[in-house]
Amino acid sequence: MFLELRGVTKRFAGLTAVDGLDLDIEAGEFICFLGPSGCGKTTLLRLIAGLESLDEGTIRLRGRDLGQLPARRRNFGVVFQSYSLFPSMTVGRNVGYGLVCRKWPRPRIEARVAEMLALVGLGDQAGKYPHELSGGMQQRVALARALAPEPEVLLLDEPLSALDAKVRESLRGEIRDLQKRLGITTVMVTHDQDEAMEMADRILVMNRGRIEQVGAAQDLYWRPETRFVGEFIGRLNLLERGRWQALLPALGEASHTLFAIRPEHVRLVGDDESVAGPVGEGQVRKVAFLGNMTRLLVEAEAGLVEIEVHGPLEGAGVGERLRFVLPGEHVSPIAADRR
């Protein structure tokens, strides 16, 4: 295994930030640590980087124990949210800074800096200073600087969160394309589910210092193992058996008490439409037109249900009554949080 974490634990003043975590990361993989603020994802990244010390557990790279190895000797490239560029240095000198520290010969440094700036599309910006660049360009410089020393692992700590939405969306694709081209093992921290789903080979969802679920975006979205994962990645209707049993006859004798269905799978039924199986009815409490979809919040006898339909929807204003069905093939049992 390329990068192994076993029993990784970190505490701060009695608070357990990372709690006995086990994880294997393959060479060349792009993995995202996803979760809300305070879940431990940034602490976990810093432990891998060597910027925090382990309280318990081991971190191994190609079988080599990194526990006592300082950050400067791990040969990991790190990109932070705040860019952390040196304002008094030109772009070229920023990118070459780590190479100077490693005492690379000057001709090799100059060639590598030119190569890295060309790689991130800033080949003509070497003589400028950070304040002369946009936020997106500064983050590209930070990425070039992290990649310049030929690191074994690239660590990204919410690198896009300080950028505006359009730039962030563009850089997602650029970073992912660059990672694929270089084949570098990459670990990224984010709280943005769209970012993680678009960029990562696998997503690790964290909650209170522990792993809730690890998997590809499709697995986490369509087959969430816990309520936390289902609600954090996308939107989810949670159905308690006792309240929704009449509309979910297919549940039979299943032992679970909580079930889930995505809003896009709840199907609206016309007033004159005949369907097999039970039909629910409720009053529209909220309508949100989102361009490519309309999101409805409907209050039925059993409780609230969220429904998403493609495009605009006529005759579905607040106060209107609608009929809907919960297709059994899209209803799945779901567990409560892991603790």
Side-chain angles (χ1 to χ4, degrees):
M1 183 54 59
F2 181 75
L3 187 59
E4 300 175 75
L5 284 66
R6 294 290 180 269
V8 170
T9 300
K10 181 64 180 179
R11 303 181 186 91
F12 296 101
L15 174 67
T16 302
V18 179
D19 191 0
L21 188 145
D22 296 331
L23 179 66
D24 290 332
I25 300 175
E26 299 280 356
E29 183 176 24
F30 194 128
I31 187 166
C32 278
F33 297 166
L34 176 67
S37 298
C39 72
K41 58 187 185 296
T42 295
T43 299
L44 180 58
L45 187 86
R46 291 177 63 84
L47 288 168
I48 294 172
L51 300 173
E52 298 285 355
S53 59
L54 287 166
D55 288 331
E56 297 174 20
T58 59
I59 298 176
R60 297 180 183 275
L61 179 69
R62 303 184 193 273
R64 181 189 185 193
D65 191 345
L66 302 181
Q68 302 304 314
L69 201 65
R72 67 181 182 277
R73 295 182 56 199
R74 296 193 183 192
N75 192 27
F76 289 177
V78 185
V79 178
F80 298 101
Q81 172 184 343
S82 58
Y83 320 140
S84 299
L85 300 177
F86 299 112
S88 61
M89 290 185 181
T90 64
V91 165
R93 289 183 62 201
N94 264 284
V95 174
Y97 179 78
L99 309 182
V100 173
C101 293
R102 288 167 172 79
K103 302 186 185 306
W104 283 29
R106 181 170 295 278
R108 188 181 174 199
I109 291 175
E110 292 175 353
R112 185 63 173 172
V113 168
E115 179 188 359
M116 289 298 97
L117 287 176
L119 191 68
V120 297
L122 297 175
D124 58 346
Q125 305 295 316
K128 291 188 177 181
Y129 288 86
H131 72 271
E132 298 179 282
L133 305 181
S134 67
M137 293 170 76
Q138 289 185 56
Q139 196 59 294
R140 289 185 182 93
V141 175
L143 185 60
R145 182 179 62 183
L147 291 170
E150 301 175 340
E152 290 191 83
V153 179
L154 178 63
L155 304 175
L156 307 174
D157 186 8
E158 303 210 42
L160 307 180
S161 60
L163 304 173
D164 64 56
K166 281 290 185 183
V167 175
R168 193 162 64 237
E169 188 172 337
S170 173
L171 273 180
R172 283 180 198 168
E174 291 183 31
I175 291 174
R176 180 55 166 151
D177 289 345
L178 183 60
Q179 185 270 337
K180 286 181 177 179
R181 197 179 332 150
L182 298 176
I184 186 170
T185 305
T186 301
V187 180
M188 186 174 81
V189 164
T190 183
H191 62 270
D192 186 319
Q193 63 181 39
D194 292 338
E195 198 169 280
M197 293 176 75
E198 179 179 342
M199 298 175 71
D201 296 311
R202 283 192 303 156
I203 301 169
L204 181 152
V205 182
M206 291 188 68
N207 182 25
R208 293 177 291 183
R210 292 186 177 180
I211 296 174
E212 285 280 330
Q213 190 173 346
V214 183
Q218 295 92 333
D219 294 329
L220 298 180
Y221 188 83
W222 296 121
R223 292 175 290 279
E225 293 177 359
T226 67
R227 174 176 180 170
F228 179 87
V229 174
E231 290 185 313
F232 197 82
I233 296 184
R235 305 176 76 89
L236 199 69
N237 287 304
L238 294 169
L239 313 172
E240 295 178 20
R241 170 192 283 279
R243 302 178 67 183
W244 291 91
Q245 181 72 55
L247 294 179
L248 299 169
L251 298 184
E253 299 301 320
S255 59
H256 286 78
T257 59
L258 192 64
F259 296 82
I261 185 170
R262 295 287 182 187
E264 63 267 32
H265 283 152
V266 181
R267 188 168 72 84
L268 291 177
V269 177
D271 291 337
D272 300 326
E273 185 178 352
S274 177
V275 298
V279 177
E281 186 175 329
Q283 189 172 44
V284 177
R285 292 301 185 194
K286 185 177 179 181
V287 179
F289 174 65
L290 304 174
N292 65 329
M293 75 169 75
T294 301
R295 182 177 295 144
L296 308 171
L297 186 65
V298 177
E299 184 177 9
E301 184 178 349
L304 295 173
V305 62
E306 197 170 64
I307 305 171
E308 291 179 354
V309 296
H310 185 72
L313 185 64
E314 300 294 333
V318 173
E320 299 287 339
R321 296 196 68 81
L322 297 177
R323 302 169 72 227
F324 63 89
V325 296
L326 305 172
E329 65 270 23
H330 295 303
V331 176
S332 58
I334 194 164
D337 294 351
R338 296 201 184 280
R339 60 173 176 167

